[in-house]
Amino acid sequence: MLAPTTWALVVGSGLLCGVINALAGGGSFLVLAVLITGGLDPGLANGTIRVGILAQNISGTLGFALEKKLRWKAALTFFPAITVGAVFGSLVATRIASTHLRPIFGGAFLVWSVLLVLFPSGFKERD
């Protein structure tokens, strides 16, 4: 069982990272780091954030659709490739030992951080 302070950190970071993810992306990296730091196994932490990502994607899609700002043709064009990638990635990720996930996540965090610092304009919204 997690301590109340850990729960508060997880809930607070989840809310903050949800906002960050919606505005700029990358919030999932922060939640993943918090969950692992809080003591969750890296594989379990990775699976746990997927629930939030799914909920955010569904709510975002519905929000854009209701505002009539969803570009259906583009979304449907990329949907098959994204689905195949998601399924394949999930299958691979569930077969990697947790001892190997820590350095993989650490490397991904490092690369992402360096890219954000060195090339911030590459992450700006484009029309």
Side-chain angles (χ1 to χ4, degrees), residues 6-95:
T6 304
W7 274 109
L9 179 64
V10 169
V11 170
S13 65
L15 291 171
L16 176 65
C17 293
V19 170
I20 291 170
N21 216 29
L23 295 175
S28 301
F29 273 135
L30 299 172
V31 173
L32 185 61
V34 168
L35 291 175
I36 292 171
T37 302
L40 251 57
D41 175 78
L44 182 58
N46 188 31
T48 299
I49 66 169
R50 301 297 157 205
V51 175
I53 291 169
L54 177 63
Q56 186 172 22
N57 286 334
I58 290 170
S59 66
T61 301
L62 289 173
F64 278 110
L66 291 172
E67 293 290 324
K68 306 229 185 296
K69 293 183 179 181
L70 184 63
R71 294 185 293 176
W72 285 102
K73 185 175 180 182
L76 294 174
T77 298
F78 292 111
F79 182 76
I82 291 169
T83 302
V84 169
V87 170
F88 180 73
S90 296
L91 291 173
V92 170
T94 58
R95 284 162 177 72

